[in-house]
Amino acid sequence: ALQLKSDSAPSRAGDFRVWYIKISHKMTSKDAPEVSQGKSVQKEFRGQGRVKAVLSGTCVVLRGVNPSPDGSYPERTVFLSGIEAPRIQRSSRDKDPDQPFAWHSREFLRKLIIGKTVLFNVREVSGKSGSKSSYGDLFLNNDETQSVKSLVVAAGWAFVKGATNKDAKMHGDRQLLYDSQKEAEKAGRGMHEKGVNEEDRKRTVNYSPDTFQLYAKTKGKSVPVIIDYVRSGSTVSVEIVSGDLKHTVVNLTLCGVLCDRTAPVKGRGGGKGKKGGNEQKSSAVSAYARLAQFNVANLLLHRDMHMIVLGIDKNGNLYGSLTFPAYPDRDVAEFLLKKGLGKYLPWTGEMLPPKLTAKYRATETKAREAAVGRWGKGSKETNISVEKKMMPMKVMMVFSGDSFAVIDANSKETRLNLADIRTKRLARGRDKKESEPLAFEAKEWLRKKVVGQKMDIRFEYKRQDKKGGTQDFVSIGAGRSNIQLQLVQLGYAEVVQHSLVSSRSSNYVKLVEAEYQAKKLGKGIWAKNPVCHKYTDLTNRPSQRGGDKAADSREKERAEAMLPHLAGAHLRGHVEYVFSGSKFKVYIESKKLMMNVQLAGVEVPRWSAKNTTKYGADAHALARSLCLQKNVIIEIPKDDTRVVDRQGTFSAYIWTEKPKRSIACALLEQGLGKVFKRAAEAGGYLDQLMSAQEPAKSRRLRVWEGFDEEEKNRKAKRDAQRKKEAKEKNQKISVTEIVNTVSFFAQSVGDKNIETVRKGLSAIEGTTRPDDFNPEFGDIAACKFDGAWYRVCVEETDDDMGTCDVEYIDYGNKEHGIDLKSLMPLSEDLMKIPRLSKKYVLAAVQMPPEGSGWEDEGYTRLGNLIFQKEWDAEVLMQDKSGYHVSIKGDDQSTPVQGELLKDGLCRLQRKPDYSMKYLLNQFRKYQEEGVKNRMGCWEYGEISDEEEEDDRRRRR
C-alpha cells in the first residue's frame, strides 16, 4: 500500500511544499505488480556510479562505471531523499534567482563527491506523466556507513524534510539526520552560522556580461572557474568563482581545436557572443560530436579549472585554454586531437605559443596517419589547412579603403583585398547613390600610405567571389604598422564577421580589440553623425553623351565656370585614374574638385580597351607608372583660349611632386609622343618640350620609327595629287565583301598585283613554319582558308587561347579565332604589295535609322545586287570611311542607290559633301517612290528632323 502525505508547513530554507512517500511494503522490479494508470510505481536499485555533475545541494548526476553494449554510458539523476537544500538557479531560462545559501550548499556537495565513484541505493519512482525520478542515498569509499546526505546535513547545508513540523514523528535514519541537523544548528555550521544576513549569502549570476569588457580585464590571466556546461567538445560554459567577476557565466572556445557541434541548449549563459561565430552551419549532429562532448564532460564538467582568455571575435565569443590546477600538464585540446575527435583550427591556434601550435599540428597528423576517430578508414574528412606566404610587392593603385592593385616581379598586376576588414563603399561612375560616410577619407588615407611603395604583403586566405572566381585577402605590415589595424583604430573600417571555420589574418584579435576601442571612443564611422566628404565632380557625364550637343555644352559651361579659379596657378592634387598616355582624372585637394585633364603641348598615341594605336599601350603603361594615384602639380595655361574642350576636359601641364618631373617630357624622351607646337608655344613650354623630344627623334625611337623629313613632305604632295586624281578617274571594280547596306570592299579589275599575289601565296604550300615566327597586332601574314592561302592582317590576339582575329586584306572580310600557329610568314615581295581590296561607300546615301529592323535586309539586298560582279564606279571623293562612288552596270539603267532607295533600305543624306550634292536631285525620285509605297524604313512615313538627330547621336 502506497500512502501519499503532505506537509504544507514552510521550510526554513524557503517556502517549500515538502512531499514524501511512506513505504509500507518494499517491492523489487522483479515482483512489482502492474498498476493501473495514474498510480506511481517504485523500483529499488543498488550499485556503483561515478559522479558526473552536481546540480544542487541535494541533486547529482551519476554515470555508469562500465559502458553499455552500444558504447554509451548510462546516466541517472539522483535526489538525496529525506533532505532538502535551498533552491539554486540552473540557467538563464530559470527566472527564479538563487535562495540564500543555495550556491554554498551546491559547492559543498560538489567538492565532496564530483568525479568520485560512489555506491547508490535509490528508488525509482514513475509518475503520472511517465517521468522517472530516483530518490535515495549515496555512499563514499564503498562504505555504506559514509552516507552523503548525512555528511551534507551534518555540515549544515541541508534540512531534514518535515523537521520544521513539531508534530512530525521521526523514526530510524530520519531521526539520526534530525539529530545531525540540531547539532549543526547548535555549532553554527553551514546555513546555521550565527549573525549572518541571509541576503549576503545569495548568489546573483550574470549570464549576459559584456564579453569585451571581460576580455580586457582577464586577457592572458589565469582565472579560477567551474565548468558549468559542456556545449560541444571544444566549447564550454564556465562560471568565474573569484574576483569582481565572480558568478559571471561565459562561453569559452578552446584554441587550436574544432569539434563538431552538438544540438544547442537554450538558456545557457555566455554573454553577448552567444550567436554567430562559435556555431557551425551544419545542423546534423555526428557521432564524433557526441563522443567529444561526452569525453570533455567526463573530464571537466563541474570541475575546478583555470581559464586563460587569449582572444575574442567580432561577435564577442571568447577563445582561450583551460588548465587543471593540480595537473598543469593535462591538455584537453591535445586529448581531442589525439583521439581524432577534433580538427586543428589554424586561426585560433595562432593565439597559442608557437611550440604548442606545432605540437597540436603534429598530434593531428599522427591521428590522421593512425586513422583514429574521425580520420578512420573510408573517412572523407579533410583537415583545415591555410598556406600563408609573404611577398614584397609594389602597390600600383587603390580602389577603395580595403582593396588595391599590386605589381609583382614579373610585372603582373593583381587586385588584392585587405583581410578581415571592410570600409564604406564609394559611389562608382554614374551611380546615383552617394558615397557612404568616410569612404573617400579611408581611400585617401590608404593611398597616401601605400601607393608607389614596396610593401611586405602577407597572403592570409582566399574567398570565392560572386562570379565563381577567387579573391586574395592579405595583410600589409606587422605590429603597430599593420595597415588594417591603423584603419580600424582611426574608425575608417569595421571588422567583418566570419564563420568559426573560416580562416582569418594573424592580427584578427587585435583588429577586434581596436574596433571595440574605436566604437567606445566614437571614432570615424562609429561617431553619431559621420560626415560624407563632398567635392565637385566634373567627370560624371550624362549616360547618353555621344553626340548630345546639349550635354556637351553643359559640361563645357561647368568647366569654364571653374576656369578663372584654376588657370595660371600651380595646383596640387593626385591622379585618380589614367585613361591613356595623355588623359587623366585628377583630384585637386585645395579646391575639392575632380576633373579630367589632357596633357597640353604633346600628341600621344591613343589607348583604350577597344581601340589602341601603335605604342598607345606603351604610353599608357609609362604614364601609369609615373603618376597613377601619386601626388602631382598641374598648371592650366592662362592665355590659351582652347584650354577647355567641348566635353569639359582641361588641357594642362602635369609634373610629379617627388621627384618633380614633367609627364609630357618623360613621354617625349621615350619616343611616345610628339610636340604639338601651337599648344606648347601658347603655354610657354615649347623649348623645354622640343629639347625633350630631340633625342628620341634623332634615334628614330618608337613614334619616330622610319621618320624622314623629306619623305614626309613628298608623301603629303603625293597624297594631295592622288585625291585630285581619284575625283576624276572612273574605275572598273569587282565586289569581294559586303560590309553593310551602303559600304563594301572591291578589287580593281585588271590589277596586275592580283596574279602576283596568287602565285606568291601558292608557293607557301608545303613549306615549314619557322619556330621564331610569332605574329602580333598589325602584322601581315598568310592564312589558309578552304585549301588556299590568303594574305591577312592580325587585328587582335588572345595569348591565353593562342588565337587571333584577322582581316583578309585582299578581299575585306574578317575571321575570328584563328590559331596563331596556323599563320605563315610572307616573302618580302608579298609584304611590299599593298592590299588589293579597297573600301567603297555608296555616295549620297546613308543607312536606315538604327533599330528600324531593316539593316539586315539591306545588307542582303546589296549583296544580291553587286556581290562578285564587275561594275563601273565613279569615284567622287575619298575620306576615312572609304571611296565614295556611284556604281552602275552595263545593262542596268537604274543606279544601285536607286534600287535601294525604292525598297526603303537606305535614305538620302541630309548634308552630303559638296562633290556629291548633284546626286541628290538624281536620286530623290527613287526615295519619293519608296516613301509613297511605304517601303522598308518608310513604312510609317517620313522620318522627322528630331528622329534624324536622335539616330545620328546614337550612331556616334
Side-chain angles (χ1 to χ4, degrees), residues 226-368:
I226 296 173
I227 307 302
D228 183 61
Y229 180 70
V230 177
R231 302 175 70 88
S232 70
S234 54
T235 303
V236 296
S237 291
V238 301
E239 181 173 353
I240 300 174
V241 294
S242 67
D244 56 350
L245 294 173
K246 189 174 182 180
H247 301 315
T248 298
V249 178
V250 294
N251 291 335
L252 181 75
T253 299
L254 296 176
C255 288
V257 65
L258 172 67
C259 297
D260 292 343
R261 80 178 184 94
T262 54
V265 175
K266 296 181 180 180
R268 289 288 171 181
K272 295 180 180 179
K274 290 183 290 184
K275 61 182 180 180
N278 64 348
E279 293 291 348
Q280 293 168 260
K281 292 183 178 179
S282 174
S283 60
V285 180
S286 69
Y288 293 110
R290 297 189 182 93
L291 191 56
Q293 186 187 38
F294 169 79
N295 278 275
V296 173
N298 188 44
L299 289 171
L300 306 184
L301 186 60
H302 287 179
R303 304 300 206 283
D304 290 306
M305 305 287 290
H306 280 191
M307 169 184 74
I308 302 176
V309 178
L310 300 174
I312 190 170
D313 67 11
K314 170 82 172 180
N315 297 310
N317 298 300
L318 298 174
Y319 299 85
S321 59
L322 293 170
T323 59
F324 293 86
Y327 306 98
D329 294 335
R330 292 185 180 180
D331 192 327
V332 179
E334 184 184 8
F335 167 79
L336 292 168
L337 294 171
K338 185 177 181 180
K339 295 295 183 180
L341 300 177
K343 297 180 181 180
Y344 174 72
L345 189 58
W347 79 268
T348 58
E350 290 179 351
M351 302 178 193
L352 299 166
K355 289 184 179 179
L356 195 55
T357 299
K359 182 180 179 182
Y360 285 178
R361 288 183 182 274
T363 303
E364 184 191 54
T365 302
K366 289 181 181 179
R368 283 171 58 87

Side-chain angles (χ1 to χ4, degrees), residues 207 367 443 472 487 618 621 738 776:
Y207 284 104
K443 180 184 176 183
D472 288 308
L487 281 166
D618 294 339
I738 304 298
E776 298 178 350

Side-chain angles (χ1 to χ4, degrees), residues 67 77 98 137 197 225 322 347 451 473 484 492 545 575 582 631 641 682 685 735 848 873 915:
T77 301
D98 279 9
D137 199 0
N197 185 0
V225 296
L322 293 170
W347 79 268
V451 167
F473 288 80
Q484 297 107 294
Y492 287 154
R545 56 182 178 178
V575 174
S582 61
N631 293 336
T641 57
Y685 291 99
V735 178
S915 61

Side-chain angles (χ1 to χ4, degrees), residues 603-620:
E603 293 178 297
V604 179
R606 294 192 309 275
W607 182 91
S608 69
K610 297 181 179 179
N611 183 19
T612 301
T613 58
K614 192 175 183 181
Y615 303 121
D618 294 339
H620 179 247

Side-chain angles (χ1 to χ4, degrees), residues 533-537 587-594:
H533 183 80
K534 302 286 186 180
Y535 60 88
T536 303
D537 194 347
Y587 178 73
I588 307 300
E589 190 168 358
S590 61
K591 304 294 183 181
K592 292 187 177 180
L593 176 68
M594 190 81 74

